[in-house]
Amino acid sequence: MFSRKDIIVLGMMIFALFLGAGNIIFPPMEGYTAGQHWATAALGFVVTGVLMPFITLVIVSVLGRGEELTRDLPKWAEILFLATLYLVIGSTFAMPRITNVAYEMALVPLEIVTDTPVNHLIFAVVFNIIAMLFMLKPNTIISSVGKFMTPALLVLLVVVTVTVFMSPLSDIAAPSESYADSSALTTGLISGYQTMDVLAAIAFGGIVARALSAKNVTDPQKIMRYTISSGCISVVLLAALYFSLFYLGATSDQVAQGASNGGQIFSRYVNVLFGKEGSWIMSGIIFLASLTTLVGVTSACAYYFAKFSNRLPYAFWVVVFTIMTTIISENGLTKLLQVTIPALLLIYPVAIMLVVLQFVRAKLPRVKLTYNATIAVTVCFSLCDSLNNVGLLSDGVKQFLGNFPLYDNGLAWLVPALGVMFLTMLVGKSAKK
């Protein structure tokens, strides 16, 4: 029997898994540049950063594992996509970023050690070993994260949120950068990509399914019901947090000058509000958020790669990914943030379309045709977006892509992908007649 207490604990675990340090450092900068449009921007951010991951989580939980989303693709495409996904959200991009955020925002501001390469390496090793110890006992993940880490994290976040709304530092300024030239809603939608949470939901869905299975919940209808119930807790908490952080950013003009990322804005804001004690509050928030996400994501990655060989079990991959994360994190936060965006622009649209296709799969007359054609078109457009982000796209291709709707908003792939999906549905129906 899955009790109400179990639902709350699972909901807290889902919230903590999604609430990585990246989710805390991006919204303040977005709120600052959105200015007077912070609420509209936050709404867009919540759509791609909360609602879409929630839908993905429910779908994957019912399916049992993220790999089921790609079962209708050619085997090579399935493995390529999933391996890329797990590496992007895991030890090549997101988890080294998590490690660096924890170091730069949780340890350095306390001024208990000097910021040197040696201290950075020591912190990375210790931090990742702590996470590894949790991962090597996977049955402790739901209890340790849901029962202990998340409540502590919530208390710290509530303290900051209430204080920000009661004592904002500055008046809200006019929008700047992309928010001054484009729709705040669509810019917020694109910004929500940075959380990586649709990608993470593909991995976390398997964790939720295993957690429910441990409680003898295996019926698809019950899995859906309990995942929705638990997930709603996470949705409400994350949405409230993002709106608060956008407001923090919008009212941060006093401390935001010269800041290069939202983490610096958050750190300065908290220090002004709480003084020296603020550094400890911020450190607690960042450390707990980073640790819970590192544990959840890396364990999901290890589960995926372990299925390829009995000789290389889950524990082996946990150790391998821990070592990779530690080594790659030595590149520093700024460099990792620069390479993350092109990778996201490439894989995020594909993940979104796989979720959309799963929604309509039962009504597809020719499943493989629709899947292969839709994903192929999505990859072509998302690859162009990725190349454009790093300055490798030719002017001729840019001019051609400019003819597509939503190109200026970074969503040129959306209309063609949906168009091909519906077109192949019509072709499939005609072929059956």
Side-chain angles (χ1 to χ4, degrees), residues 237-276:
L237 292 175
L238 284 171
L241 173 66
Y242 288 152
F243 271 92
S244 301
L245 290 175
F246 264 78
Y247 182 75
L248 179 150
T251 58
S252 66
D253 191 58
Q254 177 181 325
V255 295
Q257 303 299 325
S260 60
N261 61 64
Q264 293 176 358
I265 294 176
F266 183 76
S267 175
R268 296 173 186 177
Y269 206 113
V270 171
N271 284 338
V272 171
L273 288 179
F274 298 100
K276 185 64 177 177

Side-chain angles (χ1 to χ4, degrees), residues 18 56-58 60-62 64-66 200-210:
F18 277 121
T56 304
L57 181 78
V58 173
V60 174
S61 298
V62 173
R65 53 184 187 159
I202 295 176
F204 293 158
I207 293 178
V208 172
R210 288 190 290 273

